[in-house]
Amino acid sequence: MQNYPDISRRVIAHNDAMDSGNPMHDDAAAKAMNFKGALVPGITVFGYMTHNLITAFGTEWLDRGSMQVRFRRPVYANETLTIDSRDSGDGHSVNIDTRNPDGEVCVTGRGSMSLDLTPLPKEIATYRDLPDPLWPATREKFSQVQNLGTLRAEFPLNESDGFLTAMQDDLDVYSDGAMHPAWLLRQANIVVDRNFDLGPWIHVESEVQNHSRAKNTDRIEVRAQVVELFERKGHEYFDLDVALLANGDNDRLVMRVLHRAIYKMAETA
């Protein structure tokens, strides 16, 4: 049975989405919604956590590894986060969590080379032009759309060093040109922003399956389809199946994600 080492590291949380257009990442807007300040994107914290997984599993995790991650509490800029991963005892996975300076668990996860994830549709979403203008972010429209417009994204090579510095990630695999999983997962948020006219919205959970390693020089095509819509405690959620392809090639699937978010928050009294 494989045993994985316990790993603990600390990072300083950085809000790298102030210009994203989502009010959750703006200090004044977030405070108006009764948060202490702007929220650090969950995808950024996910990126911090992947360092532990690659240390545990090796760089092969980028080729075929997986992770379930759930965002339970807000993370704020400049907080010192403690990221702990430990062997799960099942012989093929590690449990991982992120704690804030008060010791509260903000993000939980489980990484593996062989996790059983939620089944996704057999076929990935088909290509569709991005809408112009954006669609209204309503349950009715999500139901009608099904397939979102396709995003084409390229990693800015001149920002590679800055990106890795912001991610506080010094693993050699990235300096050698591998695309960071945090940049890839961020495209799952951006494809939503490029399709729907959203107010404040919150990414709450993802199940990530890596299929092949992308290079920073690859163009990434992001296709997404709606798989479920539901309401919980007055919040409106979507589940999206997001497929990321290298250079638009169906035979070069890089990552596939079950991506869950609150797109409309409950009205407060």
Side-chain angles (χ1 to χ4, degrees), residues 61-65 117 120-126 179 184 207-215 218-225 241-258:
W61 186 82
L62 294 171
D63 301 312
R64 55 187 180 86
L117 302 179
L120 292 172
K122 182 177 179 181
E123 302 295 333
I124 65 172
T126 56
M179 193 172 281
L184 288 165
E207 295 185 10
V208 175
Q209 177 66 61
N210 295 322
H211 288 266
S212 64
R213 190 178 311 190
K215 299 178 180 179
D218 288 327
R219 185 189 67 190
I220 301 299
E221 189 169 287
V222 187
R223 302 185 194 174
Q225 57 189 326
D241 165 27
V242 183
L244 295 96
L245 308 172
N247 303 312
D249 186 346
N250 281 15
D251 293 327
R252 288 200 60 198
L253 179 62
V254 173
M255 177 185 284
R256 201 165 181 191
V257 185
L258 179 65

Side-chain angles (χ1 to χ4, degrees), residues 69-75 97 104-109 203-204:
V69 61
R70 182 181 179 191
F71 307 101
R72 297 174 53 182
R73 294 175 182 271
V75 170
D97 57 46
E104 299 170 318
V105 175
C106 299
V107 186
T108 61
H203 172 211
V204 296

